[in-house]
């Protein structure tokens, strides 16, 4: 014990000497002896404190405090220690300070106790957080261990609670904002939901309401108490708003209790009053405490709800009596309120509802008032807003508000009945039905359903509902409505009696009663009108007419009365002027007066005032009366949409007219006229398929619609128009004819028929149906001949006639079918001589031409007559449109093209009689186009036409006109192509290429642009590229284009001449078809007729070739006799040589010989003329070879040899001629001739080592002569030949057979395999995809081993025929016959019946 005391003294001495380390050492020594020594721990804590070892010091003090908790020294040390650490140990400071203060309380030292508390609170405020400061304040608040002891010395608890509230409010606000900021960034988070969740968490865990209550309990300041009562209510309301529905009940009771308390005290806190007023669920406003409402108005005079309540309570619909004037001071103000005019009241309530947009009561009262004022649109808006607010308030309070919701729904449904009736009736019925299930006797709902049923024309049910409503209480308006429903249900007498019984109750002078009296008088009048329907009764002035006038006397703005009076004046009073005024007045007052609107619209339509018709129809559509609601029995009204469609048709707004007619048909799907209007709209907008369907449907309705024939022809006429637009000209013409049978005087239909025939003819030319085109043009002329008798001054008549006449110039082969007499009689009908004298000095085509038409011969003269008839038609067209400048410009333009067509067509004929006439037509066309430009200078087509005709006469003028046309329309591919052609003629190839390229980019489908590029490529030496251009132009062109056929056929023939291999038959078909059409379109193109014969010869159509060449030779002979030109003679000689070759192919040998000799004689006559020597050599060689072969086959070998020798002399030993000569010499059989043949072939092979025919013939002769040396040389050459690509399949087969034969003639190969087999397999190895090797192998193989090669021969042969190869029909037939099967042999016979192989195979198989 002495050592402990000594240690404590030493520690104390060290502390006094400020030797803190030594003091701590001494204190630890003591603690080693006595670990719970109080003073040692205190000294150690102090020493460590001085050394700033706060953690160790705190431990020492705590040990000391635990050992002696009632000793203040350790607690004071801890407090000192905590103060040095600022806010780090604020919570520990709280415990130490409280313990020390309690110690002083125990020793009854209030001064030190208060000092400790004040010091700690000040420390917490300065260094602690808001939460720690609040914790410090709690020491001085009720509930603390010190409060009772220090009461009176501590501050007022209300003040302290206020401080705590401020701290908690700040903390909560900060926490809410922080949590919302953190959570709103989460994936899928919604700000509204996040806010509710955060507030719910914070508000539920807060004691702020308790603090508010403590302030209320402890404060002596009434204002402060009211303030915190407001805060308590607001806090509770906010908490209620975020609580889930199942936990709202208890909180809602608290909120309502707090609010009612404030209201009882008449404290002006708006939330409390709003809760008490808005949360009250009442059926009618009468259930509210009017005193409470008036107190609210007094307390919140400037509030929005207060203004609404003020206006409502002073209005006619208020269920409360006027308040008594009990206070003199308020008399003036109350007098002002209750004497407010209706306008001022409405303004006040409108301002109030805008200011209180979140108030359910405000919106409900406003909806009721709007409904009273019959402002149904505004009532709908207010009721819908009230429903939204009720939904929101339900989410906040958890109350159902069923009565409030029913009241609002009744307002909404009642307004919807009258707002855009009957469009909103289904929605109104959906609102009424649930109310009636809950409240079957609700009069407002019963009346509403009754009105809806009345509108739906279910009058019996409507009367039932209205009578049920009457049982709840008498209402004259409902009685009148019920009586009217009974009347409309057919009980006119009962309805009349009930309505008349209502009149005594309608004597009040107010506006509403007068309006109801007016309506009742009108209905009485209508009952009388329908009760006795005789003309006399309806015309009587003291009957229904008098009641209608009385109705208007009661209310001058009652629209239905005006409608009925209008009907009276129109149908019985015979006063159309008054009737129209009545209808106009009715429609002005109410767009729902559909009957008045229909009468007005029909009157305006009769006056052709379509603008007014559209206005009336549009207003009716906007009224919402024409479409019945879904499920309604009432029929819709379609005429407003139909009227709109007609108006829009007249204004050419076809897209809108389609919509209008479709809307009309949705209402009345059997309306014939609407289907016709819809079809016409579709037609005018270019939707022809839809138009066809519409008109066909209209035709189906004709039988069921009970229409007069005069009312149905138009649909058939329009259907024919549609079919004409679709190119179905036959059906269109048939339809027009049917219409004309019923309406023979309809000029428009006849003109349409005429134009249909003309368009059919032009379209047939484009498609290549030239016979059909001629027939259609002739029918058009026939129709025009009949039409001119009815009306000879029609623009389209003469335009169509001119086009029909010109059709025959496009299909010259049918010019003989031109109906001259019909055209002549048509042109001479009502003729005035001067009408044909326009430009007669230039083109020589005037009235005198008509005299020579009927006597004209067929041939070229008939072609000229066609063109002259077209010119005369266009001239008469100019005469009939002399008063119309635009039509006259078009007429001059049409005449110009007709003149130019005459120039082009007649200039192509070789006869001299036309050489002088064609330029006259050209000059006339120039004059025509100039005149057209004078009348309409802004038309680009006119400038383009002038440029075309001026190209030949004046290129500079043509260029200017083209540029002007492009200035007016630079998107025309036609003009770009034409100017490119001009540059091409002027040899400016670069500009021509640019123009053609621009045309192609503008319209890639324009044929002539590609033709121009092809011609340009030819001029530049690019024949292959030109042929590609011509082919593409031919593929995209229609059949009316002559130049594409000419260039395509000629370029294809040129390519075939330079092509080394034999052309496929598919390469020849298209040019052949093109030339066939060309010879039909133009009869004077002898060169292309010759080309047609050559193509026919190449495809094996020798009969067609012979006929064509015979006709050609006749024409060339006539041309030569007329012109005696060397060119004509050369052409005649060449055609004759080709004809001889055709006769040879036909095996007409004598004719072939004579024709060939004629060709040779003609060529001798041409020797003195400057002809092309190369061309002469070719056709002379052809003639010699033809004659030689004909002599050979006729058995005149010597003559044949002579011809061949001559051919050899003239052609410098042509290898083909040598081969033919050798074959003839060998066939002649003499040794000398055979030696000559052998020598000729050896010389030929030496001069032409690669000639396959000469080598094959030499090999055959060597094999027959058994000349082994020659055979070896020939075999070597044959092996070289079979590897060449330019050897045809037929030559390959011949080479293979020859090699096999030569091998068979020599010794057999080693291995026992024959030489023929080796050659056959070699041929297969060299060309496995060709049939000749397989056929050869099949022939050599034994019958049991040859099945596979023969099948392969057939397979490869089928793959080598056109278009995949060049194998002919005979070879394919041989492949079929070679299989040995009967079926294949039959196929071979079907493919080539002239070949023996098929027949032999069929016999062997049989």
């Amino acid at each position: 014990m002495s050592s402990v005391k000594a240690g404590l003294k030493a520690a104390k001495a060290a502390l006094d000497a400020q030797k803190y380390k030594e003091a701590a050492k001494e204190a630890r020594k003591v603690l080693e002896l006595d670990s719970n020594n109080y003073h040692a721990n205190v000294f150690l804590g102090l020493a460590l404190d001085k050394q700033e070892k706060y953690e160790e010091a705190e431990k020492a003090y705590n040990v000391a405090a635990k050992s002696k908790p009632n000793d203040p020294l350790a607690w004071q040390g801890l407090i000192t220690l905590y103060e040095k650490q600022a806010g780090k140990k604020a919570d520990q400071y709280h415990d130490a300070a409280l313990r020390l203060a309690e110690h002083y309380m125990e020793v009854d030292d209030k001064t030190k106790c208060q000092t400790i508390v004040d010091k700690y609170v000040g420390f917490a405020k300065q260094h602690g957080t808001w939460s720690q400061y609040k914790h410090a304040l709690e020491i001085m608040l009720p509930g603390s261990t010190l409060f009772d002891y220090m009461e009176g010395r501590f501050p007022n608890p209300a003040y302290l609670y206020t401080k705590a509230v401020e701290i908690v409010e700040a903390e909560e606000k900060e926490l809410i904002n922080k949590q919302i900021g953190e959570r709103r960034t989460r994936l899928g988070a919604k700000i509204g939901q996040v806010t509710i969740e955060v507030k719910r968490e914070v508000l539920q865990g807060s004691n702020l309401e308790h603090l508010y209550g403590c302030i209320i309990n402890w404060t002596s300041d009434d204002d402060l108490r009211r303030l915190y009562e407001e805060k308590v209510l607001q806090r509770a309301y906010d908490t209620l708003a975020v609580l889930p529905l199942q936990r709202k009940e208890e909180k809602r009771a608290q909120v309502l209790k707090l609010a009612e308390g404030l209201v009882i005290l008449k404290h002006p806190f708006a939330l409390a009053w709003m809760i008490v007023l808005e949360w009250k669920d009442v059926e009618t406003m009468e259930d509210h405490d009017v005193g409470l409402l008036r107190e609210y108005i007094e307390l919140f005079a400037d509030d929005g709800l207060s203004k609404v309540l003020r206006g409502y309570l002073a209005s006619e619909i208020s269920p409360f009596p006027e308040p008594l004037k009990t206070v003199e001071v308020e008399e003036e103000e109350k007098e002002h309120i209750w004497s407010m005019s209706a306008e001022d009241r409405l303004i006040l309530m409108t301002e109030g509802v805008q200011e209180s947009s979140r108030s359910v009561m405000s919106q409900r009262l406003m909806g009721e008032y709007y409904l009273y004022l019959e402002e149904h649109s505004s009532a709908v808006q207010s009721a819908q807003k009230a429903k939204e607010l009720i939904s929101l308030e339900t989410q906040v309070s958890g109350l159902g508000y069923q009565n409030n919701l029913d009241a609002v729904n009744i307002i909404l449904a009642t307004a919807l009945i009258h707002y855009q009736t009957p469009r909103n009736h289904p929605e109104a019925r959906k609102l009424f039905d649930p109310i009636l299930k809950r409240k079957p006797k609700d009069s407002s709902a019963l009346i509403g359903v009754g009105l809806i049923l009345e509108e739906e024309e279910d009058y019996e049910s409507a009367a039932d509902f209205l009578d049920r409503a009457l049982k709840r209480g008498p209402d004259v308006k409902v009685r009148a409505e019920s009586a009217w429903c009974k009347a409309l249900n057919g009980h006119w007498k009962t309805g009349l009696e009930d309505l008349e019984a209502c009149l005594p109750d309608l004597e009040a002078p107010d506006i509403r009663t007068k309006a109801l009296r007016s309506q009742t008088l009108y209905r009485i009048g209508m009952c009388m009108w329908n009760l006795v329907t005789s003309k006399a009764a309806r015309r009587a002035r003291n009957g229904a007419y008098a009641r209608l006038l009385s109705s208007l006397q009661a209310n001058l703005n009652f629209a239905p009365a005006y409608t009925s009076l209008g009907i009276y004046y129109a149908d019985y009073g015979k006063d159309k002027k008054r009737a129209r005024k009545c209808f106009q007045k009715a429609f002005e007052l109410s767009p729902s007066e559909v009957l008045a609107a229909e009468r007005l619209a029909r009157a305006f339509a009769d006056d052709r005032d379509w603008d007014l018709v559209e206005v009336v129809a549009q207003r009716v559509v906007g009224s919402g009366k024409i479409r019945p609601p879904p499920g309604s029995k009432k029929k819709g009204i379609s005429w407003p949409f139909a009227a709109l469609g007609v108006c829009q048709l007249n204004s050419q707004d076809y897209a809108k007219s389609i919509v209008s007619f479709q809307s009309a048909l949705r209402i009345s799907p059997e309306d014939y006229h609407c289907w016709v209007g819809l079809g016409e709209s579709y037609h005018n907008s270019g939707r022809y398929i839809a138009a066809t369907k519409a008109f066909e449907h209209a035709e189906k309705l004709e039988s069921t619609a009970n229409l007069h024939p005069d009312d149905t022809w138009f649909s058939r006429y329009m259907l024919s128009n549609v079919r004409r637009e679709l190119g179905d000209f036959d059906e269109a013409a048939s339809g027009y004819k049917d219409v004309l049978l019923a309406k023979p005087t309809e000029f428009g239909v006849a003109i349409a028929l005429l134009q249909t025939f003309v368009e059919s003819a032009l379209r047939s030319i484009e498609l290549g149906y030239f016979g059909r085109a001629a027939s259609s043009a002739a029918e058009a002329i026939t129709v025009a001949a009949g039409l001119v008798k009815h009306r000879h001054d029609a623009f389209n008549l003469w335009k169509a006639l001119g086009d029909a006449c010109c059709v025959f110039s496009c299909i010259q082969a049918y010019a003989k079918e031109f109906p001259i007499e019909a055209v002549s009689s048509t042109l001479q009908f009502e003729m005035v001589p001067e009408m044909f004298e326009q430009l007669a000095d230039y083109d020589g085509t005037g009235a005198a031409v008509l005299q020579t038409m009927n006597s004209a011969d067929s041939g070229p003269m008939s072609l000229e007559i066609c063109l002259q008839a077209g010119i005369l038609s266009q001239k008469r067209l100019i005469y009939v449109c002399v008063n119309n400048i635009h039509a006259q410009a078009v007429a001059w333009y049409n005449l110009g093209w007709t003149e130019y067509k005459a120039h082009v067509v007649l200039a192509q004929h070789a006869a001299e009689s036309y050489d002088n006439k064609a330029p006259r037509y050209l000059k006339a066309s120039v004059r025509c186009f100039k005149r057209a430009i004078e009348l309409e200078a802004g038309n680009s087509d006119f400038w383009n036409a002038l440029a075309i005709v001026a190209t030949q006469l004046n290129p500079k003028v043509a260029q200017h006109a083209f540029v002007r046309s492009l200035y007016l329309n630079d998107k025309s591919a036609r003009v770009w192509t034409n100017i490119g052609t001009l540059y091409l003629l002027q040899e400016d190839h670069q500009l021509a290429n640019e123009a053609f390229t621009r045309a192609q980019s503008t319209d890639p489908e324009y044929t002539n642009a590609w033709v121009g590029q092809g011609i340009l490529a030819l001029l530049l030496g690019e024949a292959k590229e030109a042929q590609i251009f011509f082919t593409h132009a031919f593929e995209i062109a229609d059949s009316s284009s002559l130049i594409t056929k000419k260039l395509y056929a000629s370029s294809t023939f040129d390519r075939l001449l330079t092509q080394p291999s034999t052309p496929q038959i598919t390469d020849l078909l298209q040019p052949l078809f093109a030339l066939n059409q060309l010879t039909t379109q133009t009869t004077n193109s002898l060169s292309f007729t010759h080309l047609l014969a050559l193509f026919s010869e190449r495809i094996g159509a020798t009969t067609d070739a012979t006929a064509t060449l015979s006709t050609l030779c006749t024409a060339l002979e006539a041309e030569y006799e007329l012109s005696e030109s060397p060119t004509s003679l050369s052409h005649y000689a060449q055609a004759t040589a080709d004809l001889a070759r055709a006769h040879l192919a036909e095996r007409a040998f004598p004719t072939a010989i004579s024709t060939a000799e004629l060709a040779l004689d003609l060529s001798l006559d041409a020797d003195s003329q400057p002809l092309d020597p190369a061309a002469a050599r070719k056709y002379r060689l052809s003639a010699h070879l033809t004659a030689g072969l004909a002599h050979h086959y006729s058995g005149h070998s010597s003559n044949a040899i002579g011809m061949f020798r001559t051919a050899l002399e003239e052609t410098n030993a042509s290898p083909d001629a040598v081969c033919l000569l050798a074959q003839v010499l060998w066939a002649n059989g003499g040794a000398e001739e055979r030696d000559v043949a052998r020598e000729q072939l050896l010389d030929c092979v030496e001069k032409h080592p690669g000639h396959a025919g000469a080598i094959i013939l030499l090999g055959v002769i060597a094999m027959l002569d058994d000349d082994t040396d020659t055979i070896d040389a020939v075999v070597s050459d044959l092996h070289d030949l079979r590897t060449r690509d330019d050897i045809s399949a037929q030559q390959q087969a011949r080479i293979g057979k020859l090699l096999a034969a030569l091998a068979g003639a020599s010794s057999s190969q080693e291995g026992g395999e024959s030489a023929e087999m080796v050659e056959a397999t070699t041929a297969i190895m060299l060309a496995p995809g060709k049939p000749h090797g397989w056929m050869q192998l099949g022939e050599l193989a034994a019958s049991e081993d040859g099945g596979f090669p023969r099948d392969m021969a057939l397979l490869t042969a089928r793959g080598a025929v056109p278009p995949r190869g060049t194998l002919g029909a005979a070879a394919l037939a041989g492949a079929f016959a070679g299989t040995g099967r009967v079926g294949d042999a039959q196929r071979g016979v079907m493919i080539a019946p002239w070949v023996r192989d098929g027949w032999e195979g069929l016999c062997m198989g049989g």
Side-chain angles (χ1 to χ4, degrees), residues 942-952 954 957-962:
F942 294 177
W943 287 99
N944 176 56
L946 176 62
I948 291 172
V949 299
T951 298
Q952 185 176 343
N954 192 331
V957 172
Q959 184 184 24
H960 169 74
F962 279 135

Side-chain angles (χ1 to χ4, degrees), residues 1238 1241-1242 1245 1253-1263 1270 1274 1298:
R1238 194 179 295 109
L1241 286 172
L1242 288 171
V1245 170
I1255 295 172
I1256 291 172
L1257 280 175
L1258 188 60
V1260 172
I1261 292 173
M1263 184 182 66
T1270 304
V1274 168
L1298 179 58

Side-chain angles (χ1 to χ4, degrees), residues 553-571:
Q553 290 172 359
N555 183 7
L556 285 174
N557 294 325
F558 189 63
Y562 285 106
T563 302
S564 299
L565 277 176
I567 295 173
Y568 172 84
Y569 287 126
D571 298 344

Side-chain angles (χ1 to χ4, degrees), residues 647-940:
C647 296
Q648 289 153 356
L649 263 180
N650 279 279
S651 61
Q652 299 182 358
D653 194 349
Y654 304 120
K656 290 184 177 179
S657 68
I658 289 171
V659 175
S660 296
F661 283 122
Q662 286 176 338
S663 300
L665 288 170
R666 290 190 189 100
I667 298 172
S668 300
E670 303 299 319
D671 191 324
Y672 170 82
H673 297 289
C674 284
W675 281 108
V676 174
L678 179 62
E680 187 175 358
S681 301
Y682 278 136
H683 169 263
N684 293 336
S685 61
R687 297 168 63 179
Y688 301 120
I689 301 298
T692 302
K693 294 179 180 179
F695 286 125
E696 287 176 348
H697 192 85
E699 280 189 337
K700 293 178 182 177
L701 295 175
E702 288 180 4
S703 58
T704 60
N706 296 323
L707 297 171
H708 192 273
D710 290 343
D711 297 330
T712 59
W713 69 269
F714 185 74
S715 65
R716 295 197 297 275
Y717 165 69
M718 288 302 301
L719 179 59
S720 299
N721 285 344
V722 173
R723 287 171 174 165
R724 171 180 155 199
E725 295 289 350
L726 291 172
D728 191 356
F729 299 109
D730 293 340
E731 290 291 332
S734 176
Y736 290 134
K737 290 177 181 177
D738 290 343
V739 174
L740 287 173
L741 290 176
K743 303 285 289 185
T745 59
E746 281 294 335
F747 180 78
V749 180
I751 280 289
L753 177 61
L754 172 60
Q755 291 175 326
T756 300
F757 282 129
V758 174
E759 291 173 10
S760 175
L762 297 175
R763 182 59 179 164
S764 297
I765 291 175
E766 292 177 358
L767 297 175
Y769 303 137
F770 302 126
R772 185 185 299 175
S775 175
S776 297
E779 288 193 55
I781 293 172
T782 303
V783 173
L787 191 59
V788 72
K789 299 174 183 178
H790 299 285
R791 184 175 172 185
H792 59 82
D793 58 347
F795 181 95
N796 291 335
L797 167 63
W798 300 109
K799 169 70 170 59
L801 180 62
D803 292 341
C805 293
C806 291
V807 165
F808 288 93
S809 68
C810 299
I811 44 175
Q812 298 173 12
Y814 294 90
K816 297 178 182 179
E817 300 179 9
F818 180 67
I820 297 176
E821 295 182 1
V823 173
S824 176
S825 62
T826 303
L827 290 172
Q828 291 179 15
F829 185 82
E830 298 290 337
M831 182 187 75
V832 179
E834 55 267 22
M835 66 175 54
F836 297 126
E837 299 306 316
Q838 295 277 3
L839 303 179
D841 295 338
Y842 288 90
D843 58 14
T845 305
V849 174
L850 291 173
Q851 307 302 324
T852 61
M853 275 191 180
N854 294 328
S855 61
D857 297 331
S858 61
M861 282 300 296
S862 63
L863 180 61
E864 183 180 13
I865 288 173
C866 298
L867 293 166
Q868 287 177 337
I871 291 172
L872 292 175
S873 299
Q874 301 296 349
K875 286 185 177 181
R876 186 150 184 180
L877 174 62
I878 295 173
Y879 182 80
V880 300
C881 64
V882 67
N883 296 322
N884 188 330
I885 294 178
H886 176 70
Q888 200 172 11
V890 175
W892 279 105
Y893 174 74
N894 294 333
L895 176 60
W897 275 124
T898 309
E899 299 272 10
Y900 183 68
K901 183 174 291 186
H903 161 72
V904 171
V905 172
L906 297 178
Q908 292 174 350
H909 284 267
E912 290 185 355
S913 57
Y914 298 101
D915 290 346
N916 295 326
K917 291 184 179 180
R920 293 189 304 180
Y921 291 117
L922 180 63
K923 293 177 182 178
S925 68
V926 172
R927 301 284 297 180
C928 292
F929 291 133
K930 285 184 177 179
R931 179 59 179 157
I933 291 173
E934 289 175 3
L935 294 172
E936 190 177 339
N939 193 313
S940 63

Side-chain angles (χ1 to χ4, degrees), residues 418-461:
H418 304 283
Y419 177 57
Q420 294 184 347
T421 182
R423 180 185 301 174
N424 299 312
H425 283 187
E427 185 179 354
R429 186 65 184 269
K430 288 179 182 178
L431 295 172
F432 280 131
D433 287 346
I435 296 173
L436 287 175
K437 285 182 181 179
R438 290 190 299 271
K439 305 171 183 177
K441 296 182 179 180
D442 189 289
S443 58
S444 298
L446 291 170
I447 294 170
V449 174
L451 294 176
I452 293 172
L453 293 172
E454 179 184 347
E455 183 64 32
E456 293 177 0
E457 299 182 357
D458 188 357
Y459 302 119
E460 185 175 355
S461 300

Side-chain angles (χ1 to χ4, degrees), residues 530-547:
N530 290 284
L531 191 59
V532 183
T533 58
S534 63
K535 272 193 173 183
R538 289 189 171 182
R539 192 184 293 115
R541 295 276 180 163
N542 59 349
Y545 175 77
R547 297 301 188 276

